[in-house]
Amino acid sequence: MKINGRTVLVCDCAHTMALDGKALAHACGAEGDAGVATQLCRSQLERFEARVKGAASPLLVACTQEAPLFAEVAGEDNPDLPLSFTNIRERAGWSAEGDKALSKIAALLAEAAMDIPPTGTITLKSEGVCLVYGTDERAIEAAKQLSSSLDVTVLLKNPKDVAPPRVMDVPVFKGTLRAVKGWLGNFEVVVDDYAPANPASRAVLQFEPARQGASSRCDVIVDLTGGTPLFPAHGKRDGYLRPDPDSPAQVAKALFEAADLVGEFEKPRYVDFKADLCAHSRSRKTGCTRCLDVCPTGAITPNGDHVAIDPHICAGCGSCAAVCPTGASTYALPPMQTVYERLRTLMSAYAKAGGTEAVLLVHDPRHGDEVISLMARHGRGLPARVLPFAVNEVTQLGFDFFAVALAYGATQVRVLTGPGNAGETAGLASQIGLAETALSGLGYGSGRVSIIEAMDPEAVEAELWGLPRQAGPAAGMFLPMGGKRTVTMLALRHLHKVAPQPVEVLPLAPGAPFGRLQVNVEGCTLCLSCVGACPTGALLDNADKPMLSFSQDACVQCGLCKNTCPEKVIALVPEIDFRDSARGAKVIKEEEPFCCVKCGKPFATKSSIEKIVAALAGKHAMFATPEAANRMRMCGDCRVVDQFEQGDAPFALGAPRVPRTTDDDLRDRELARAAQAGGGQGNGGRDPDDTGSRH
């Protein structure tokens, strides 16, 4: 059986799944018999080998448990053959409704047969320079264990009564880390109270005189202080290991991991960022801060008009991509375009195979796969209508994903979170809240999208089997073309078209990335500062006349226009407008241009000139006379000409100053004396202070 050009091998795992080859082929849209094997990994392994030898098309095996065996055999017989695997056993066949899971199995095979583009990576290089940060002898002992594979230094924070090692085989210092930044292979530390150990220490380890602000670098940090972590979301910082110092098992595991952190390591580039789409800031006015608010690792920082995402620090939670309203941040493992296509393929194949009332269970490959496996092995498994959908991180999901999932025919979406998502679900919760508001407003009711936080497989199983059966929207098979915003609007318009209670305008809560502007037209002078600040092109001007237009479809409610407007006449109104009029640009205000009273050239708007004249005429020294005030009604060129014609000489500087010399000072002194002498003769030769009395 072939799907999307891939040869598909299916096994019923020793008759533990009810699979009919002809029915499966028909459900998958293939001709003939699917050729279901019974023990493809054991007694029928030769069937796999026969398919591998000389095969030209890619091979998809519907088994993940024995993937290492199949990969080994394929590597010997046809090493260049593209080989992939998918799990239909725990995800579909091993279920209390396994006999009803044919449609789901067909959908899972169709999704697995898709071509997934490769993901970009970055390289981290570590030379094995390790800092062990602790408080007592345990840090020294840990450093000794690592010294055979790493270049280790011990830093003791506020050490007390630490016994000196008999042999100083690792360097020991005291100090407190004041500042730490970086990642695996590139940590930079600043240490206060820094001092090397005194080799003459006897009963208790002594140290040399301390100094402040010592700096250094290292590749790996093992933190055994047990205090406050050195980094936010410390468990996701590559190269930083922080076990509980009171747990020997955790310390041993951390040391084992640290010993392997030498060499070059490939790390996925989780997020693609397009700075020109970022709505963070313009002209030192802050707009959107959504990604900054939700990033748990501190990988995102302001960088002028946009933000910067450090791929070395990014741990791939995808929260920034989930909340980004413009699509400046997009998840790349894989790209969201691929995720949309997977959704479309899964849902359409399920519907074509006769499946109904689909519930989408979104999970990560770590916690989610484990929970699903335990449910299948020890419980009832997944219901036949629950379609598992794996993504790298569930926190990467945004409003766009939920809208697309419902538009493609899912009746409900459940997001299974795990221990690794602790403290990182704020962005996900906000996006689910937005989806619930939109769906409720269109008459679909509440509870269509929600989170399953239960860690116990039995609790997850009980919640999934207890889901109410709901009719979903009629599925739309539109192509997910364009950016995030475009795809979201495609999904929303389809949901509006088939909604039980469609409304023309759907109000949203403040902070939602959809809406319009409310402009006080009387106070607007068409200065167009808002147009220059708008990062999405929602606000537009007109090169031919003073005009301000607004395109609601493009507005993400970042608030830059509101923060930039000098007249403070703009307010944000969050909503989704489904009317056709919201798709194009609508004129908010227009005026005839004000023409220069001297040359007739248009140079401003009438309201702007009137406002300036009212504010300055007769109230400012430069515009005190009627002639000077009239210059405000002139263009820039005529204003200058008029000042010269009226004799104001605005650029006249006066006569240059004559430098004074010593001769000038001597001459002024002689003139003063002569004047004094002349004044005395005029009084009969008497001194001016003389009162006329004689003695």
Side-chain angles (χ1 to χ4, degrees):
M1 181 175 66
K2 280 196 172 184
I3 302 177
N4 192 30
R6 293 177 181 266
T7 300
V8 181
L9 300 181
V10 181
C11 178
D12 65 10
C13 199
H15 300 301
T16 58
M17 292 186 287
L19 293 179
D20 181 284
K22 291 184 179 181
L24 180 59
H26 179 72
C28 292
E31 296 181 358
D33 194 308
V36 177
T38 300
Q39 281 193 335
L40 189 63
C41 61
R42 294 293 183 268
S43 62
Q44 295 174 323
L45 186 59
E46 70 279 355
R47 293 178 58 173
F48 175 77
E49 293 175 323
R51 289 287 187 178
V52 168
K53 291 179 180 178
S57 60
L59 194 62
L60 171 62
V61 182
C63 175
T64 53
Q65 176 179 288
E66 300 298 328
L69 171 64
F70 293 129
E72 180 182 353
V73 173
E76 295 174 354
D77 296 338
N78 192 348
D80 296 327
L81 177 67
L83 187 63
S84 56
F85 305 91
T86 189
N87 181 0
I88 64 171
R89 190 178 66 179
E90 283 87 349
R91 302 169 80 199
W94 281 4
S95 166
E97 292 183 343
D99 57 336
K100 303 176 183 178
L102 184 64
S103 299
K104 178 160 74 168
I105 292 174
L108 295 176
L109 292 175
E111 180 202 357
M114 291 180 60
D115 298 317
I116 305 298
T119 303
T121 61
I122 59 174
T123 302
L124 305 179
K125 297 182 180 179
S126 170
E127 297 177 357
V129 179
C130 177
L131 175 66
V132 177
Y133 188 39
T135 59
D136 50 30
E137 292 90 345
R138 293 175 294 184
I140 299 176
E141 182 59 33
K144 289 182 177 181
Q145 295 182 43
L146 290 173
S147 61
S148 60
S149 53
L150 302 177
D151 180 5
V152 188
T153 298
V154 178
L155 183 67
L156 298 178
K157 178 182 180 181
N158 301 323
K160 295 180 180 179
D161 300 331
V162 176
R166 187 174 57 84
V167 178
M168 194 69 76
D169 45 1
V170 293
V172 179
F173 300 83
K174 78 165 184 174
T176 301
L177 291 177
R178 183 217 307 169
V180 186
K181 63 180 181 179
W183 54 85
L184 173 64
N186 190 32
F187 286 110
E188 297 178 12
V189 300
V190 178
V191 186
D192 284 341
D193 195 29
Y194 173 77
N198 189 335
S201 301
R202 189 172 182 180
V204 176
L205 196 60
Q206 302 293 327
F207 296 88
E208 303 289 346
R211 62 188 180 94
Q212 309 300 318
S215 61
S216 185
R217 63 162 303 278
C218 60
D219 300 311
V220 181
I221 297 177
V222 178
D223 186 355
L224 297 176
T225 60
T228 303
L230 301 177
F231 300 99
H234 60 88
K236 297 181 179 293
R237 184 64 60 110
D238 294 319
Y240 176 65
L241 306 171
R242 183 181 172 273
D244 181 357
D246 295 325
S247 171
Q250 287 191 29
V251 172
K253 180 181 178 183
L255 297 183
F256 181 78
E257 293 177 5
D260 284 340
L261 296 180
V262 182
E264 294 189 0
F265 303 88
E266 295 295 325
K267 176 180 178 178
R269 187 178 290 273
Y270 295 106
V271 176
D272 285 334
F273 180 70
K274 296 179 181 178
D276 57 326
L277 297 179
C278 182
H280 170 60
S281 174
R282 293 294 185 275
S283 303
R284 299 184 181 181
K285 300 290 186 180
T286 301
C288 178
T289 61
R290 293 176 174 91
C291 61
L292 293 166
D293 296 337
V294 299
C295 179
T297 63
I300 306 178
T301 54
N303 186 26
D305 283 351
H306 51 83
V307 299
I309 302 179
D310 193 330
H312 301 89
I313 298 176
C314 174
C317 72
S319 296
C320 57
V323 301
C324 180
T326 65
S329 297
T330 57
Y331 209 70
L333 191 65
M336 282 306 297
Q337 202 70 29
T338 302
V339 176
Y340 299 146
E341 288 288 357
R342 286 178 54 207
L343 265 177
R344 184 172 181 269
T345 300
L346 180 74
M347 300 306 302
S348 62
Y350 180 74
K352 288 178 181 178
T356 59
E357 299 178 326
V359 176
L360 195 69
L361 175 64
V362 190
H363 62 90
D364 62 32
R366 301 169 298 280
H367 173 70
D369 281 352
E370 182 66 21
V371 169
I372 291 173
S373 177
L374 291 172
M375 289 166 54
R377 293 173 180 274
H378 305 288
R380 290 181 289 174
L382 292 177
R385 64 192 181 103
V386 174
L387 305 181
F389 190 83
V391 294
N392 189 61
E393 293 286 354
V394 295
T395 45
Q396 75 185 69
L397 305 178
F399 176 59
D400 56 314
F401 176 88
F402 302 122
V404 169
L406 271 293
Y408 281 154
T411 63
Q412 301 174 64
V413 179
R414 292 296 179 267
V415 182
L416 179 61
T417 59
N421 304 124
E424 298 178 0
T425 58
L428 174 64
S430 70
Q431 297 301 295
I432 289 178
L434 180 58
E436 281 287 283
T437 299
L439 294 169
S440 297
L442 293 174
Y444 290 105
S446 60
R448 294 281 181 169
V449 184
S450 65
I451 295 175
I452 298 178
E453 296 180 326
M455 302 298 175
D456 184 4
E458 291 185 358
V460 176
E461 181 181 277
E463 184 161 348
L464 292 175
W465 284 86
L467 287 176
R469 292 186 174 272
Q470 293 178 298
M477 287 297 110
F478 56 89
L479 293 175
M481 300 177 65
K484 176 179 181 178
R485 186 81 176 183
T486 302
V487 174
T488 304
M489 294 310 299
L490 284 172
L492 285 175
R493 288 200 169 94
H494 172 77
L495 291 172
H496 175 263
K497 180 181 177 181
V498 299
Q501 300 172 10
V503 294
E504 290 187 339
V505 179
L506 179 64
L508 299 176
F514 302 90
R516 61 180 172 88
L517 301 182
Q518 184 174 309
V519 180
N520 179 2
V521 177
E522 294 181 358
C524 175
T525 61
L526 287 178
C527 69
L528 302 181
S529 298
C530 55
V531 175
C534 181
T536 65
L539 286 166
L540 307 167
D541 61 0
N542 188 325
D544 297 327
K545 63 184 301 185
M547 179 186 292
L548 177 63
S549 301
F550 175 66
S551 178
Q552 183 162 340
D553 256 12
C555 180
V556 297
Q557 300 279 288
C558 65
L560 279 170
C561 56
K562 175 184 176 182
N563 297 337
T564 302
C565 178
E567 284 88 17
K568 305 301 180 186
V569 296
I570 298 178
L572 305 179
V573 182
E575 65 180 25
I576 300 176
D577 192 334
F578 293 101
R579 294 172 295 188
D580 291 340
S581 58
R583 302 190 186 190
K586 182 187 296 184
V587 176
I588 295 179
K589 182 175 182 179
E590 63 178 321
E591 290 185 15
E592 291 300 321
F594 186 89
C595 298
C596 174
V597 296
K598 193 163 187 177
C599 70
K601 180 178 69 176
F603 72 98
T605 63
K606 183 178 179 181
S607 59
S608 297
I609 297 302
E610 290 177 348
K611 185 175 182 179
I612 293 173
V613 171
L616 299 178
K619 302 176 184 178
H620 192 282
M622 288 185 63
F623 309 104
T625 65
E627 295 79 7
N630 197 45
R631 291 181 190 134
M632 290 184 283
R633 300 181 178 90
M634 300 178 187
C635 66
D637 294 337
C638 293
R639 192 177 304 126
V640 174
V641 172
D642 185 73
Q643 286 179 310
F644 277 104
E645 289 178 348
Q646 297 299 327
D648 290 355
F651 301 109
L653 299 177
R657 295 182 60 186
V658 178
R660 289 185 62 83
T661 65
T662 303
D663 291 340
D664 295 329
D665 293 335
L666 294 175
R667 184 170 55 254
D668 289 347
R669 188 183 301 172
E670 291 298 327
L671 290 174
R673 289 176 178 174
Q676 185 177 9
Q681 292 175 356
N683 289 326
R686 293 179 299 186
D687 188 276
D689 294 332
D690 192 352
T691 60
S693 60
R694 297 285 185 229
H695 298 284

